[in-house]
Amino acid sequence: MHQSTASTSLRDAVCRLVPLIPAGYVCTYGQIAAYADSPKAARQVGMVLAGLPEATLIPWQRVINAQGAISPRSKPGAAEMQRILLEEEGISFRSDGTIDLRKHLWHPESIPQ
DNA sequence: ATTCTGACTTGGG
DNA sequence: CCCCAAGCCAGAA
């Protein structure tokens, strides 16, 4: 298909894909970018999430970096909040603050259109 | 147009 | 496993 609508697609894709991540699982920025058909847009995914309103229903906390860690934020307390939300969903953290991706990484079998 | 910055990722050492 | 350089890309100044 043509690229004429590509400018807004990433944001829309993030809002469509992130809610598919089940509680108890996490996904990386790179994965979301790839599923959004923009494999090199991991940073952009982070930007979209950063722009979500605080009252959003989108489970932004389920997106972490490829190292299995919560990405550092400029906003104070944001990273701590993310960890708390994930722990409430059953995610466990190693002493170094990382998550065992072999156990918690989401492996979608198919992405709904 | 240019530079800087950031919720990224990967490859090398 | 840690650290760093590059590559990456959009938004702001």
Side-chain angles (χ1 to χ4, degrees), chain A residues 26-31 42 63-72 93-94 96-102 105:
Chain A
V26 294
C27 190
T28 70
Y29 298 95
Q31 265 182 289
V63 185
I64 63 176
N65 66 39
Q67 318 311 308
I70 286 176
S71 287
F93 288 74
R94 299 192 185 88
D96 66 356
T98 64
I99 293 170
D100 186 344
L101 293 183
R102 293 193 302 183
L105 187 65

Side-chain angles (χ1 to χ4, degrees), chain A residues 32-92:
Chain A
I32 295 297
Y35 298 144
D37 229 1
S38 304
K40 310 202 169 174
R43 301 186 86 143
Q44 279 40 265
V45 171
M47 290 184 206
V48 171
L49 295 179
L52 294 174
E54 295 192 24
T56 185
L57 295 176
I58 292 176
W60 54 271
Q61 70 272 23
R62 297 175 195 159
V63 185
I64 63 176
N65 66 39
Q67 318 311 308
I70 286 176
S71 287
R73 283 324 149 40
S74 51
K75 198 171 183 178
E80 290 69 23
M81 166 76 345
Q82 182 169 10
R83 173 166 176 155
I84 290 174
L85 289 173
L86 289 176
E87 290 181 319
E88 290 179 341
E89 298 183 346
I91 302 284
S92 56

